[in-house]
Amino acid sequence: MGQPRKALRTTTVGAVSATLVAGAAFGLAPAAEAAPASAPQAASSTDVRFVDIPGDGGTILKANVFTPGGAKAGVKYPTIVLPTSWAMPQIEYVAQAQKLANSGYVVVSYNSRGFWQSGGEIETGGPEDIADASKVIDWTLENTPADPDKIGMGGVSYGAGISLLAAGHDKRIKAVAALSGWGDLIESIYSGRTQHFQAAGLLGGAGVLTGRPSPELQQTLKDFLASNLDKEDEMIAWGAKRSPATYVDQINKNGAAIMMGNAWGDTIFPPNQYAKFFGQLKGPKRLEFRPGDHATAEATGLLGLPNDTWTSTQRWFDRYLKGEKNGIDGEQPVQLKSRSTGGYEGYPDWKSVGATKKKIDLAGSTTIRANVDSGANGGIVMLSNALDQFLKIPPMASMPLLPRRYAGVWQSQKYDTAQRVRGTAKLHTTLTSTKESGTLVAYLYDVGPLGLGKLVSNAPYTFHGKTPGRPFGVDLELFSTAYDVPAGHKLALVVDTVDPLYIEHNPSGAQLTFSSPADDPSYVSVPLREQ
């Protein structure tokens, strides 16, 4: 049993929340809209202890425990366990833990193994991390006034993923709040069979700076970034083992009520894979999408500021751990916040989002040369979509200036009314390559009267083993979004072969030809909210 260190009042430790960077996953999220003048003051009656908790195999996990003030002997309290995000220290959730404890929860936050002062190595949501979660619950039941029938888990990014994985392995977990997490790790950083270079590089770099990556993680990242296709099956198996979607049947069987939140522009864990996983859940569930990049939707809450995501999180726990009739279970389970209007929209399920489809024909035949960035790109990881969130400045490109030698461009007609894009746009085309391997990146732009395009969505696609000169079909889902195209604007589909976000696989001198056969026309299907 770990030995607790000295207990402190939260008025003493509350100030440490101001040291948190506004963002959780890798400690690199941009600053929030407004920085707090000081950390919030806690109720003087709430206590916090810094403790050592033995995890799987006896590995010591550094943790803190918040207990409701005036806790009476023999009284049990609903309890929430919060694993830290990737690369974040154990004080990450201080502000939120304090608020939850003030409202009657025991809150245990622990530093995930391999990071900072916790022992062990970084296992990236592996079996050791799942076992750690159960060990922390064991310790909590033995050392705090926790109610064994009212255990919840949650967290941001890495903490979200571990919480979902744990829900499939520990029946004691009754509710989960998984914020900016993943359902499918492969679909997150290898969608379209394309390595998400900046995302994986950030993952690896932050791990080295703040922790001790396991040999398995080091080798997997090395093979991944080196495009070692001989190890592709092994890497996919590694990711599947760490994906909550692999255990969805067990998660459903265990029955935890699961709330999930994410950002439209998440460059680490894009929204598509989260929406797909949400659709597989059978129990009480809720899905929230907001503007921003990875963990920026939760960032202000980590600083103790008012935050919609954390408000929903507490309401979710209040309903499914305390049993409060607060109405959250009566609301539409899918809640979306538009990047354009900032208003919330409710839907009964993900399939109802963007139920109306409008096609843009991609007529004719267009050939582009590979290996050159046309100027169309998805931006910079963690930065560009945060600028969109806070300043409404997404990545931009001028349609007239894009070099047609390196970019294919198709535009719709000018729209008389606003087009409210909601959900997942899909590209269908016929591709012929001069090489057996290649990469393309598709972008959907909102184009104004002067030809300036604002990025609505994008996604990469890579192929291997194709016969040069032989056409083949391509079906690609762009990353889901909620964006309003103003009246008088057009939509444009742009395709090129190089984007700094992704690793490209175009041999030198490769050319890609996009065609639209009469019996199989090419198009992009745009999902729209019903008018």
Side-chain angles (χ1 to χ4, degrees):
M1 181 184 300
Q3 295 300 314
R5 285 166 271 161
K6 186 176 180 181
L8 302 174
R9 296 291 183 185
T10 52
T11 49
T12 304
V13 300
V16 300
S17 65
T19 68
L20 294 175
V21 178
F26 304 106
L28 297 174
E33 291 172 300
S38 61
Q41 293 298 308
S44 60
S45 59
T46 304
D47 292 332
V48 60
R49 293 181 291 150
F50 293 90
V51 301
D52 294 339
I53 298 178
D56 184 49
T59 297
I60 295 300
L61 306 174
K62 297 295 182 177
N64 51 62
V65 180
F66 284 76
T67 306
K72 299 178 181 179
V75 176
K76 300 295 183 180
Y77 296 87
T79 298
I80 299 170
V81 175
L82 303 171
T84 55
S85 304
W86 189 275
M88 289 296 280
Q90 73 183 86
I91 60 171
E92 176 184 10
Y93 301 113
V94 162
Q96 290 301 322
Q98 175 180 310
K99 289 182 178 181
L100 289 165
N102 288 345
S103 67
Y105 290 95
V106 171
V107 183
V108 178
S109 172
Y110 69 94
N111 222 130
S112 303
R113 71 164 49 224
F115 288 106
W116 296 92
Q117 294 176 312
S118 282
E121 297 174 327
I122 302 171
E123 303 293 347
T124 323
E128 299 88 346
D129 294 298
I130 298 171
D132 281 346
S134 290
K135 291 290 187 180
V136 171
I137 293 174
D138 292 342
W139 183 95
T140 300
L141 293 174
E142 293 176 3
N143 294 275
T144 74
D147 187 333
D149 297 322
K150 298 179 180 179
I151 301 292
M153 280 195 72
V156 177
S157 185
Y158 196 42
I162 291 175
S163 296
L164 289 172
L165 288 164
H169 291 79
D170 196 322
K171 296 180 180 180
R172 295 174 296 182
I173 299 170
K174 304 303 182 185
V176 171
L179 313 178
S180 291
W182 73 92
D184 188 324
L185 191 56
I186 298 301
E187 279 298 307
S188 295
I189 61 173
Y190 196 49
S191 69
R193 207 180 178 186
T194 307
Q195 296 101 319
H196 294 209
F197 172 67
Q198 291 186 14
L202 187 59
L203 172 75
V208 169
L209 287 173
T210 62
R212 299 165 299 282
S214 68
E216 184 180 25
L217 172 58
Q218 294 180 55
Q219 186 61 51
T220 300
L221 276 175
K222 180 180 179 181
D223 291 335
F224 184 79
L225 294 173
S227 304
N228 187 351
L229 290 178
D230 290 338
K231 296 292 186 70
E232 184 179 34
D233 289 343
E234 291 181 29
M235 289 186 284
I236 289 175
W238 178 88
K241 191 175 184 178
R242 290 159 170 80
S243 296
T246 300
Y247 312 102
V248 67
D249 290 341
Q250 294 170 239
I251 292 172
N252 287 331
K253 182 179 180 180
N254 289 346
I258 295 177
M259 171 190 150
M260 302 160 60
N262 203 0
W264 293 119
D266 195 322
T267 45
I268 310 296
F269 303 128
N272 301 46
Q273 52 86 30
Y274 231 26
K276 181 179 179 181
F277 176 68
F278 173 81
Q280 297 173 317
L281 296 173
K282 304 300 183 184
K285 59 182 180 177
R286 183 178 177 92
L287 178 66
E288 300 183 350
F289 281 137
R290 297 178 175 86
D293 207 311
H294 187 62
T296 61
E298 298 86 32
T300 54
L302 293 176
L303 294 169
L305 296 173
N307 180 278
D308 288 356
T309 306
W310 286 104
T311 297
S312 291
T313 295
Q314 180 157 352
R315 292 180 67 214
W316 192 254
F317 284 136
D318 286 349
R319 176 66 187 92
Y320 290 102
L321 295 182
K322 288 185 176 179
E324 292 184 1
K325 305 290 186 181
N326 57 18
I328 194 168
D329 53 332
E331 298 169 0
Q332 297 277 38
V334 176
Q335 294 288 323
L336 311 182
K337 188 175 184 180
S338 169
R339 292 166 51 197
S340 304
T341 66
Y344 283 96
E345 303 165 1
Y347 298 86
D349 50 41
W350 179 251
K351 292 184 294 185
S352 301
V353 176
T356 300
K357 305 292 191 296
K358 182 172 289 188
K359 288 185 177 180
I360 301 172
D361 293 329
L362 309 180
S365 179
T366 299
T367 298
I368 63 174
R369 290 164 174 80
N371 310 117
V372 174
D373 189 342
S374 71
N377 65 67
I380 301 172
V381 67
M382 301 297 297
L383 176 60
S384 298
N385 292 315
L387 290 175
D388 182 39
Q389 175 186 0
F390 296 117
L391 302 176
K392 298 292 190 293
I393 304 177
M396 300 182 189
S398 171
M399 297 301 108
L401 297 181
L402 287 176
R404 270 36 176 194
R405 185 181 181 90
Y406 305 111
V409 181
W410 298 264
Q411 298 191 64
S412 72
Q413 80 284 1
K414 186 183 298 184
Y415 295 113
D416 295 330
T417 59
Q419 305 294 296
R420 295 184 289 179
V421 180
R422 298 291 187 273
T424 309
K426 299 179 181 180
L427 167 65
H428 173 75
T429 189
T430 296
L431 176 62
T432 306
S433 174
T434 59
K435 305 290 184 179
E436 67 172 13
S437 296
T439 297
L440 63 91
V441 184
Y443 310 89
L444 188 65
Y445 283 99
D446 160 24
V447 183
L450 299 180
L452 182 64
K454 296 182 178 181
L455 188 65
V456 177
S457 184
N458 78 99
Y461 178 91
T462 293
F463 58 90
H464 297 288
K466 298 297 183 181
T467 302
R470 179 178 296 176
F472 60 94
V474 171
D475 288 286
L476 175 63
E477 289 190 349
L478 277 63
F479 299 135
S480 303
T481 194
Y483 182 97
D484 292 357
V485 178
H489 285 212
K490 302 177 181 179
L491 280 169
L493 190 283
V494 176
V495 179
D496 71 1
T497 62
V498 176
D499 190 308
L501 284 173
Y502 313 112
I503 291 178
E504 52 96 4
H505 297 263
N506 296 295
S508 179
Q511 296 183 28
L512 304 181
T513 297
F514 300 88
S515 58
S516 183
D519 60 346
D520 186 19
S522 296
Y523 60 87
V524 58
S525 175
V526 181
L528 301 175
R529 184 184 180 192
E530 294 183 358
Q531 300 295 325

